[in-house]
Amino acid sequence: MALASPVDYAGTITSSQRQLSSVMPRCNGLRCTIGYGNKSRAGGHLVVRAMSMDRLKLDFSNPNWKNQFQEDFDRRFSLPHLTDIIDVESRPTTFSLKSRTPLENVDGSLEESWNGYVNDDDRALLKVIKFASPTSAGAECIDPDCSWVEQWVHRAGPRKQIYFEPQCVKAGIVTCGRLCPGLNDVIRQIVLTLEKYGVKNIVGIQHGFRGFFEDHLAEVPLNRHVVQNINLAGGSFLGVSRGGASISDIVDSIQACTCNSGQEA
């Protein structure tokens, strides 16, 4: 059963990040958002907002079932903005628009209103196919008649404002679990996009979570030259692994790496 509203959990953060899991509620079947009370880290007051991810049981004989579905969908997939969770200042984006082509008018002149950035309130349809029948190939229906119901989600893309300093960022990329098609494409595109923002310190973590705490698995420096053609190969350029991860060791490794480099993780 879906919750009528988010559930807040408050706990105190101890001096060691290893104790973080001890103050967090279990989020089985819930989507948990972790932040700090009054949007500040200084107070050490952790707030976890949990929202049920279970779908609402609908009565399709009710003429208003579509409205109920959309309200439940919006509630479950309404994402908080970063500034709703922590106190952080924005800055003008460093994203390079050189690779994004401006719109052209009929006469070939550039569209003056074009800016290349995405508005925070933009939405995109989650599903764009209206199936005529549940027996249609690949049909995903909400009700037995495959009725069309709009499901809107946040649109991805570069914003005019960002909330990090690219020169202070150390970005780590890790692939965990099983292999799946397109992993190398994802790694490649993350690196290329980070560089468009001006992030220079990009590393790959080898063999899944093991790369965080096994000393012989060193970080792999990444840039556009390293990843240029990895999309032509299968598997994962960084390697993967399953299980055996110690959360406290992973957190300690990230914290030590961040402190030593003096950069934001």
Side-chain angles (χ1 to χ4, degrees), residues 165-240:
E165 293 291 340
Q167 70 273 17
C168 298
V169 169
K170 180 177 182 180
I173 303 172
V174 59
T175 52
C176 308
R178 295 180 177 178
L179 291 173
C180 65
L183 277 179
N184 284 334
D185 284 285
V186 174
I187 296 170
R188 178 178 181 272
Q189 196 57 47
I190 291 175
V191 172
L192 297 180
T193 301
L194 283 169
E195 288 194 348
K196 287 181 180 178
Y197 277 100
V199 176
K200 301 298 183 183
N201 195 354
I202 310 170
V203 299
I205 308 300
Q206 295 191 72
H207 300 291
F209 289 128
R210 288 171 47 201
F212 284 109
F213 55 85
E214 294 191 7
D215 294 336
H216 69 282
L217 296 175
E219 295 176 348
V220 179
L222 300 176
N223 56 54
R224 65 175 54 249
H225 302 294
V226 174
V227 303
Q228 190 61 46
N229 296 314
I230 65 173
N231 57 307
L232 303 179
S236 169
F237 173 74
L238 299 173
V240 298

Side-chain angles (χ1 to χ4, degrees), residues 40-247:
S40 174
R41 288 187 176 91
H45 189 64
L46 179 70
V47 173
V48 178
R49 294 180 64 80
M51 177 76 72
S52 172
M53 294 302 290
D54 296 331
R55 288 190 176 184
L56 181 70
K57 291 184 178 179
L58 297 170
D59 178 8
F60 296 118
S61 63
N62 184 337
N64 293 320
W65 74 264
K66 287 187 179 182
N67 291 334
Q68 293 177 348
F69 176 87
Q70 288 179 318
E71 289 174 0
D72 180 64
F73 179 88
D74 291 341
R75 182 169 59 245
R76 288 187 293 120
F77 291 91
S78 177
L79 301 176
H81 192 273
L82 182 65
T83 54
D84 295 330
I85 302 174
I86 60 176
D87 187 12
V88 59
E89 296 293 332
S90 65
R91 57 152 295 170
T93 187
T94 54
F95 184 85
S96 172
L97 290 176
K98 291 181 180 179
S99 62
R100 297 172 71 88
T101 306
L103 300 176
E104 293 186 356
N105 296 315
V106 178
D107 59 3
S109 61
L110 296 182
E111 176 63 55
E112 293 182 1
S113 61
W114 182 87
N115 61 40
Y117 296 110
V118 173
N119 189 289
D120 285 341
D121 295 325
D122 285 355
R123 297 294 183 269
L125 276 174
L126 178 63
K127 299 179 180 179
V128 296
I129 300 176
K130 183 181 184 300
F131 294 101
S133 166
T135 60
S136 297
E140 296 179 357
C141 303
I142 299 170
D143 70 321
D145 296 325
C146 250
S147 302
W148 170 255
V149 182
E150 293 181 350
Q151 300 173 60
W152 295 96
V153 293
H154 291 261
R155 182 187 176 195
R159 267 62 173 174
K160 282 187 176 181
Q161 299 292 318
I162 59 176
Y163 298 87
F164 60 93
E165 293 291 340
Q167 70 273 17
C168 298
V169 169
K170 180 177 182 180
I173 303 172
V174 59
T175 52
C176 308
R178 295 180 177 178
L179 291 173
C180 65
L183 277 179
N184 284 334
D185 284 285
V186 174
I187 296 170
R188 178 178 181 272
Q189 196 57 47
I190 291 175
V191 172
L192 297 180
T193 301
L194 283 169
E195 288 194 348
K196 287 181 180 178
Y197 277 100
V199 176
K200 301 298 183 183
N201 195 354
I202 310 170
V203 299
I205 308 300
Q206 295 191 72
H207 300 291
F209 289 128
R210 288 171 47 201
F212 284 109
F213 55 85
E214 294 191 7
D215 294 336
H216 69 282
L217 296 175
E219 295 176 348
V220 179
L222 300 176
N223 56 54
R224 65 175 54 249
H225 302 294
V226 174
V227 303
Q228 190 61 46
N229 296 314
I230 65 173
N231 57 307
L232 303 179
S236 169
F237 173 74
L238 299 173
V240 298
S241 65
R242 300 184 65 195
S246 167
I247 295 177

